[in-house]
Amino acid sequence: MLLAQHTGGAAGVGQFLHDLVWREFAAHLIYHFPDLASRSWHPGWQGFPWRGDNDDAEAWRHGQTGEPMVDAAMREIQATGRMHNRARLIAASYLTTHLLTDWRIGLARIGECLTDWDAASNAMGWQWAAGCGPDAAPWFCLFNPATQADRFDAAGSYRRFWLEPGQAAQRPFSM
């Protein structure tokens, strides 16, 4: 309520402020825990038996998993250097929870592609998705890609745009 009063109820302000706080929290953490991008923040996750790099991770990198929402997200970032935050969450959850692939593999791939890369925010985001970070629930962040697609891309326009031949060449599209 206070936020709505302060901003006059402007749309999107609350999310913007949330994102700023997340960025500052991540910057604070990486300052005090410089290994945030390479070690699980929760010590109990240090020995988790993540899969290393693998064929499934390679398919994920190139948007060829067979899971339409994940593939669309990965193709968007390859083509534009950007990816909608919801698509990031879905792609990260898929890699870490469905494929049980080490979150650092995803962190590295997205870091290669993403134009708005921030080391602290991205490390914390990947650890959140994997369940091993400071702001994570003590279990995996499990997103069902099909359910997420139904909720956030009900008409399928995002998936069609990035997955159907020739569509992405026409114009940029984002969720």
Side-chain angles (χ1 to χ4, degrees):
M1 183 64 167
L2 181 60
L3 179 61
Q5 291 172 342
H6 180 69
T7 63
V13 172
Q15 184 63 50
F16 177 73
L17 292 175
H18 175 271
D19 292 347
L20 286 177
V21 170
W22 174 265
R23 184 190 71 190
E24 294 305 310
F25 179 45
H28 174 80
L29 283 175
I30 207 164
Y31 176 82
H32 291 285
F33 304 98
D35 293 339
L36 191 65
S38 60
R39 293 180 48 88
S40 295
W41 190 82
H42 282 294
W45 282 83
Q46 297 301 350
F48 187 81
W50 295 109
R51 292 172 69 199
D53 210 348
N54 58 74
D55 291 342
D56 292 332
E58 187 64 14
W60 175 86
R61 283 183 186 98
H62 298 286
Q64 298 173 344
T65 66
E67 186 57 59
M69 193 64 176
V70 173
D71 292 349
M74 295 309 292
R75 291 179 190 185
E76 177 187 13
I77 197 170
Q78 286 175 191
T80 67
R82 299 183 314 260
M83 185 191 298
H84 187 279
N85 191 55
R86 177 56 52 173
R88 289 184 199 194
L89 294 171
I90 295 166
S93 173
Y94 188 81
L95 182 71
T96 59
T97 64
H98 290 79
L99 302 179
L100 291 176
T101 299
D102 195 315
W103 60 271
R104 289 163 280 232
I105 290 169
L107 177 77
R109 175 59 179 165
I110 299 303
E112 293 169 354
C113 300
L114 197 60
T115 58
D116 67 345
W117 178 253
D118 177 83
S121 293
N122 286 285
M124 201 161 96
W126 274 96
Q127 288 207 40
W128 180 84
C132 59
D135 192 40
W139 57 82
F140 288 113
C141 169
L142 182 58
F143 286 148
N144 178 316
T147 303
Q148 291 286 305
D150 289 345
R151 182 171 177 201
F152 294 100
D153 186 33
S157 56
Y158 176 79
R159 287 167 285 169
R160 273 192 309 280
F161 184 83
W162 290 109
L163 299 177
E164 291 180 6
Q167 292 294 310
Q170 293 178 16
R171 61 181 165 74
F173 180 96
S174 189
M175 271 196 293

